[in-house]
Amino acid sequence: MLDVHQLRVLTEVARTGSYTAAAASLGYTQPAVSYQMRRLQQSVGAPLVVKAGRELRLTEIGTVLVRHADAVFSTLRAADQDVASVVARGGGLVRIAAFQSSCVTLVPELVARLRTTHPHVQVTVSQAEPADARRMVRAGEADLGLLCDWDGDDLPDGEGAMLRTELMTDRRCVLMREDDPLATSSTVDLADLASREWVMESFRDRFLAACTNLGYRPVIAATIDDVSAIQALVASGLGVSLMSELALHAHLAPGVVHRPLRSWPLRHTYALLWPDMARVPAVATVLREVRSVAGELRERFGGPGP
């Protein structure tokens, strides 16, 4: 029978890459971590980690065991939440990790809805890019993640055993001044913007790859990770930008217009959580309400479905 404490040690060794760092994170001594790892490897009957330079790497068996350990810890967290929800008569705390543009539209509407319809359910929100939100959900640092990806993307690593609930889709748009020559167009092609300067977010790998495929290197005039600041700089004439419809529904600066970017994949917004967590009343309530809010936003803004 596998020991939960030993599995906790293994997952921390996998995360930190060393016994010393795992010990510091867990509040153990380094010999205690070494002892727990020896016991676990004896129980399994095979090595779980190997040295790779200064770090430790999981063996194939270690990787399989960590994946199962994540599921075990999810079940334990769900049990804690379930008990807490019963005690609180259907209430409880749900920790949400959400990407930026959902934090200015989807999440505020969700919180307002919960305060009215389910006041015993409390939420905390952490803004996190999809990769970080996925890691937080896997590690139990968040109960539910709001993530996004694009048409044609492969299923991200680590989501195979998790519950993914599609919420809505939106388009990528070009943001420009209302007096821009392209503002009269119904859609805009990225190739038409080769000579422009850009106000862009830090996470722009897909944009840069698309520009490279078109044969040009965009001039980045500003790197800003704030929706309002990006729009203000576009309004000032510093450059054009790209922004998803979900963020634009929350706010559009005076003097700025947006036009859909032609031939760009749709973005999918979805909820991600461990299946066990979906059976916790408070988490189930949040999941149900976020699906309802997403549906209302689709109707209100005329966007496509999940």
Side-chain angles (χ1 to χ4, degrees), residues 47-48 58-65 67:
L48 301 176
L58 292 174
T59 64
E60 182 179 0
I61 296 173
T63 300
V64 170
L65 191 55
R67 185 167 65 246

Side-chain angles (χ1 to χ4, degrees), residues 254-275:
V256 173
V257 297
H258 61 90
R259 298 290 181 264
L261 184 61
R262 197 178 308 142
S263 302
W264 196 266
L266 288 175
R267 187 179 68 166
H268 296 260
T269 295
Y270 61 98
L272 185 71
L273 66 163
W274 286 103

Side-chain angles (χ1 to χ4, degrees), residues 93-164:
L93 174 66
V94 180
R95 300 164 300 164
I96 299 173
F99 66 96
Q100 184 187 45
S101 53
S102 71
C103 286
V104 297
T105 306
L106 188 58
V107 174
E109 299 248 359
L110 169 64
V111 172
R113 172 77 63 84
L114 290 170
R115 285 181 176 271
T116 300
T117 60
H118 301 281
H120 297 297
V121 176
Q122 299 179 353
V123 298
T124 61
V125 181
S126 300
Q127 181 178 310
E129 291 300 315
D132 291 329
R134 185 178 301 110
R135 177 195 59 76
M136 291 172 70
V137 173
R138 282 186 57 85
E141 297 171 12
D143 303 308
L144 184 146
L146 295 178
L147 292 78
C148 61
D149 61 10
W150 303 85
D151 267 349
D153 285 351
D154 294 330
L155 185 70
D157 290 341
E159 287 194 12
M162 306 180 79
L163 177 63
R164 173 175 170 142

Side-chain angles (χ1 to χ4, degrees), residues 59-83:
T59 64
E60 182 179 0
I61 296 173
T63 300
V64 170
L65 191 55
V66 166
R67 185 167 65 246
H68 284 289
D70 285 339
V72 168
F73 296 141
S74 169
T75 300
L76 292 174
R77 288 190 297 269
D80 285 341
Q81 281 275 52
D82 207 353
V83 170

